[in-house]
Amino acid sequence: MATVKFYETAEDGRLRFAVILSKLQQKYIFCKHKERDTWEIPGGHREDGEKIIDTAKRELQEETGALEFNITPVCAYSVTAPDAFDGKETFGMLFYADVTCVEKELHSEIEKIMLADEMPEKLTYPDIQPKLMEEAKKRGFL
């Protein structure tokens, strides 16, 4: 079971991931990887030398086809899970994006996106994703 914690800030050098809760037409955007049968919130790994906001923008574009959007940081978070990163605490930044325009076709490892009123039941990271959404709601972003 993963433990998720939330922080107002975190040292930039520790932020390894960006996760972007996003909406299009007032519905949440979830994506499905070509090699999985589960849904996830858009996001991914930070590349070397990349600013975390740029990671968020890149991942949102790659995974949802977003062309036009406004993106805002929500908070920093950490995950500690016995089956990931040798059980060490890893940090990420949670963002919210209001998407106004997407491409008709995806050009990444993502097979398809889904627009939904609620989080789907079959999640890639069921111990983490609902907690991220709950925190964003508490902070008034959703």
Side-chain angles (χ1 to χ4, degrees), residues 43-54:
H45 293 84
R46 182 181 193 176
E47 293 180 359
D48 289 341
E50 191 174 47
K51 292 180 181 178
I52 197 68
I53 185 69
D54 293 332

Side-chain angles (χ1 to χ4, degrees), residues 17-135:
F17 303 95
V19 174
I20 312 94
L21 288 162
S22 49
K23 282 190 170 184
L24 173 66
Q25 301 167 352
Q26 299 181 351
K27 295 192 179 287
Y28 297 112
I29 305 172
F30 296 96
C31 49
K32 184 191 161 303
H33 192 283
K34 290 175 181 175
E35 297 176 0
R36 299 184 191 117
D37 64 352
T38 53
W39 294 95
E40 54 197 73
I41 298 168
H45 293 84
R46 182 181 193 176
E47 293 180 359
D48 289 341
E50 191 174 47
K51 292 180 181 178
I52 197 68
I53 185 69
D54 293 332
T55 303
K57 290 175 182 178
R58 177 180 52 76
E59 290 290 349
L60 182 64
Q61 290 169 327
E62 288 176 3
E63 296 194 352
T64 69
L67 294 172
E68 296 174 15
F69 53 88
N70 290 318
I71 191 165
T72 307
V74 174
C75 64
Y77 71 93
S78 73
V79 175
T80 307
D83 60 346
F85 300 101
D86 297 323
K88 293 179 182 169
E89 185 177 29
T90 56
F91 290 82
M93 181 64 80
L94 179 61
F95 292 87
Y96 171 74
D98 183 28
V99 179
T100 54
C101 180
V102 295
E103 292 185 77
K104 294 183 191 303
E105 217 174 282
L106 296 172
H107 308 281
S108 71
E109 72 276 7
I110 300 303
E111 179 181 325
K112 60 185 172 181
I113 63 170
M114 169 178 63
L115 301 180
D117 291 321
E118 299 291 327
M119 187 170 278
E121 286 185 27
K122 202 169 186 183
L123 297 170
T124 305
Y125 307 103
D127 293 345
I128 300 168
Q129 294 172 348
K131 293 174 183 172
L132 298 177
M133 185 174 274
E134 183 181 316
E135 186 66 20

